[in-house]
Amino acid sequence: MAFERVGVVGLGTMGAGIAEVFARAGLRVIGVEADAEALARGRGHLERSTGRAVDRGRLIEAEREEILRRVTLTTSRDDLSDADLVVEAIPEILDAKVSLFEDLDRICKPQAVLATNTSSLSVTAVAAATGRPGRVVGMHFFNPAPVMRLVEVVGTVVTEPGVVEEIAGLARRLGKTPVTVGDRAGFVVNRLLLPYLNHAAVLLENGVAARDDIEAAMTLGAGLPMGPFALLDLIGLDTAYEVMCVLFDETRDRRHAPAPLLRELVTAGLLGRKSGRGFHGERVVRPEAGRASVVTYRVEGEGAGAVAERLAQAGFKTSDDPDVVLRLADRPVVEHAVRLPRPDVMVGVHLVGERVAEVAATALTSPAAVAAARDLMKVIGRTPVPCRDRAGFVVDALLYPYLNDAVRMIEAGYASIGDVDAAMRLGCGYPAGPVETMESVGLDRVRDGLRALYAEYREPSYAPAPLLDHLVAAGLTGFPRP
Ligand SMILES: NC(=O)c1ccc[n+]([C@@H]2O[C@H](COP(=O)([O-])OP(=O)(O)OC[C@H]3O[C@@H](n4cnc5c(N)ncnc54)[C@H](O)[C@@H]3O)[C@@H](O)[C@H]2O)c1
């Protein structure tokens, strides 16, 4: 089927970007909004986004005008009658989508394909609301749609043969990379991403670390393009909340229960970028630079020599009667602290990548020792991330369960290793997919880290996935690829 006229329903965060993607590829677009006010907002999104592309030299003004000319904006669904494809991008609420699809089925010509951009809802349930369930698929774009290369194409058990391939072909024509998957809540990316974002909100709410410290840990430390709270603000906290509810309904996994903090912010109308404020306000606080006030210290644990050497070069002396003991570890250090004559001087330090040091305070650590440890980490060029002395501190606690989820997804045969890695790279802009990350960190290290998390929290889904356990037991350092 040739897709030349495409409808997009809902021109919010996603729909406006999706309309732009189609128009850029030369297709005619009919954009439908709920009312005149929302339509004006949608037009604003389109004009600003293409305007930015001109400012950045990615489009010339004449191309921009041509793109905007290809888009017809309307508040009448009836204008979709001759569309070859309609992509729906209204809020993540099943009843609203079902009622829209009933209408689209009546309005659109019988051979038209109807697609939903849902992040998590059942495509099968939406398809069943129509008289053409075989021609209903998921076409899941990523935010911002003009930039992110991934499109998840979701087929159901009733999708007609060939329709998924046609939509995947269209995605390629748009310059995107399709990954085709079955109908399961969250598909690949959101099933892996959203529980991690939700977990970050739980750590914040539980006071394990502060907002900007978690952001720094995951960007400077784990190398992700955005911190979890900036990403939640970009996605929209209402959308993220709805996706977590759908995931929880399907899995009944406690980790998928939306963080109470998320619900609170949504109820308060703090939805992220689209409402001007979410986890972040207008101003993002950057970690401050500083000088060390420490006089004496000692470093112990694996890798202590290198840290001590860097500090010695900067003129800081070690001593057996120190102001602070830096215990290098990736596990809680309180058991080491209690063996000291002065447990209040011990701080756990976990070096993450080249730029971050998690600085963990036990229940006994004094504020002065924490301040000293933070200063010393700045001296060696690392951004300190103060946190509580818990298994995995911040980075591993957030990263490892996500990696484990990816192993389970592969083990269940839902997606291949290559698709999972590609999906996270192209859908989230991650520098590496989860399998690539595990192979560079070390499968045994990830397995051991998960065991420690499980031992601390007794969360069933923190237990290492059997496949990971078996690969480590077999002495393998990588995943077997076909
Ligand atoms: N936000 C993301 O990062 C993201 C990413 C991928 C997929 N999605 C999915 O895309 C869909 C839309 O999410 P969003 O974040 O763009 O939401 P949004 O709230 O930003 O936009 C939704 C738009 O739909 C419009 N709308 C509501 N009811 C309508 C109707 N009956 N007819 C026409 N327009 C209507 C609203 O006016 C609004 O402009 C959801 O299913 C979401 O899960 C979101």
Side-chain angles (χ1 to χ4, degrees):
M1 173 159 191
F3 297 105
E4 294 309 331
R5 294 179 70 80
V6 175
V8 178
V9 184
L11 301 171
T13 308
M14 290 308 294
I18 295 169
E20 180 183 334
V21 169
F22 283 124
R24 278 184 181 226
L27 285 86
R28 296 249 149 228
V29 181
I30 308 130
V32 184
E33 255 295 351
D35 54 46
E37 199 183 317
L39 196 67
R41 268 201 313 273
R43 187 191 314 271
H45 283 315
L46 264 169
E47 288 174 353
R48 276 193 303 280
S49 171
T50 49
R52 275 197 303 273
V54 171
D55 293 344
R56 290 176 186 162
R58 298 201 181 117
L59 276 183
I60 58 168
E61 186 56 37
E63 288 169 323
R64 176 186 184 227
E65 284 167 16
E66 184 54 38
I67 289 167
L68 294 176
R69 245 198 310 277
R70 285 190 201 116
V71 183
T72 310
L73 297 177
T74 173
T75 54
S76 169
R77 290 178 191 174
D78 291 335
D79 293 344
L80 298 168
S81 57
D82 63 349
D84 306 312
L85 164 72
V86 176
V87 180
E88 160 282 313
I90 68 170
E92 189 76 344
I93 298 165
L94 185 61
D95 289 350
K97 293 196 195 273
V98 163
S99 119
L100 173 64
F101 272 71
E102 285 167 353
D103 243 21
L104 293 176
D105 190 35
R106 191 177 44 74
I107 294 165
C108 298
K109 55 191 183 190
Q111 67 274 32
V113 174
L114 306 181
T116 171
N117 185 52
T118 182
S119 305
S120 60
L121 294 168
S122 163
V123 178
T124 313
V126 172
T130 72
R132 64 179 92 193
R135 302 191 71 71
V136 176
V137 293
M139 189 173 192
H140 185 223
F141 289 82
F142 288 80
N143 186 3
V147 178
M148 303 314 286
R149 277 180 44 213
L150 182 70
V151 174
E152 287 175 326
V153 180
V154 186
T156 72
V157 287
V158 290
T159 310
E160 281 171 22
V163 173
V164 165
E165 288 70 23
E166 281 178 15
I167 295 295
L170 173 64
R172 282 188 208 98
R173 186 175 151 203
L174 303 173
K176 305 291 184 191
T177 303
V179 165
T180 55
V181 288
D183 189 18
R184 203 177 113 169
F187 316 124
V188 174
V189 173
N190 283 325
R191 183 71 162 229
L192 297 179
L193 178 71
L194 265 294
Y196 145 67
L197 298 177
N198 192 53
H199 190 186
V202 170
L203 291 189
L204 179 65
E205 179 154 32
N206 291 347
V208 171
R211 179 195 69 184
D212 293 333
D213 293 323
I214 296 175
E215 299 285 64
M218 299 316 288
T219 50
L220 303 177
L224 302 183
M226 285 178 114
F229 304 115
L231 184 51
L232 279 165
D233 281 351
L234 175 71
I235 290 171
L237 305 195
D238 50 343
T239 299
Y241 178 79
E242 294 297 340
V243 173
M244 288 316 301
C245 290
V246 176
L247 284 184
F248 181 79
D249 277 348
E250 182 170 306
T251 64
R252 301 283 153 180
D253 180 341
R254 213 162 45 144
R255 279 189 318 133
H256 294 163
L261 178 58
L262 207 52
R263 185 203 38 77
E264 187 183 352
L265 293 176
V266 171
T267 310
L270 307 178
L271 306 181
R273 284 198 198 178
K274 65 179 148 190
S275 71
R277 221 180 118 194
F279 280 100
H280 289 283
E282 281 73 32
R283 205 170 59 87
V284 178
V285 184
R286 305 263 169 231
E288 82 292 3
R291 279 292 301 158
S293 54
V294 183
V295 186
T296 56
Y297 71 94
R298 194 172 81 222
V299 203
E300 50 180 61
E302 201 185 323
V307 172
E309 199 178 312
R310 289 285 307 277
L311 287 170
Q313 283 163 3
F316 291 91
K317 293 194 177 58
T318 61
S319 160
D320 282 335
D321 184 26
D323 299 306
V324 59
V325 176
L326 307 172
R327 172 93 204 176
L328 291 180
D330 55 6
R331 299 291 152 74
V333 297
V334 66
E335 64 189 77
H336 300 286
V338 290
R339 291 196 205 115
L340 295 178
R342 283 187 55 204
D344 60 302
V345 295
M346 179 166 279
V347 177
V349 171
H350 180 215
L351 305 180
V352 187
E354 299 301 318
R355 300 173 62 189
V356 161
E358 291 171 320
V359 171
T362 75
L364 303 170
T365 312
S366 71
V370 173
R374 290 168 60 166
D375 287 347
L376 286 171
M377 289 305 108
K378 289 181 198 161
V379 165
I380 63 167
R382 286 178 180 264
T383 300
V385 170
C387 59
R388 288 170 70 184
D389 188 40
R390 295 282 180 278
F393 300 144
V394 174
V395 174
D396 291 355
L398 288 176
L399 206 55
Y400 287 5
Y402 147 74
L403 299 175
N404 205 31
D405 285 348
V407 181
R408 287 185 197 281
M409 183 178 274
I410 291 160
E411 198 167 32
Y414 180 68
S416 68
I417 291 172
D419 280 352
V420 169
D421 274 349
M424 294 314 290
R425 269 194 271 104
L426 304 177
C428 301
Y430 279 17
V435 174
E436 293 160 336
T437 301
M438 279 182 271
E439 289 174 343
S440 74
V441 170
L443 303 189
D444 51 347
R445 242 185 95 187
V446 175
R447 194 269 317 260
D448 293 348
L450 283 164
R451 284 185 173 170
L453 281 167
Y454 178 72
E456 177 122 312
Y457 293 100
R458 309 295 161 116
E459 191 61 65
S461 56
Y462 289 171
L467 174 61
L468 180 59
D469 249 342
H470 292 185
L471 293 177
V472 176
L476 297 178
T477 54
F479 279 67
R481 289 168 173 80

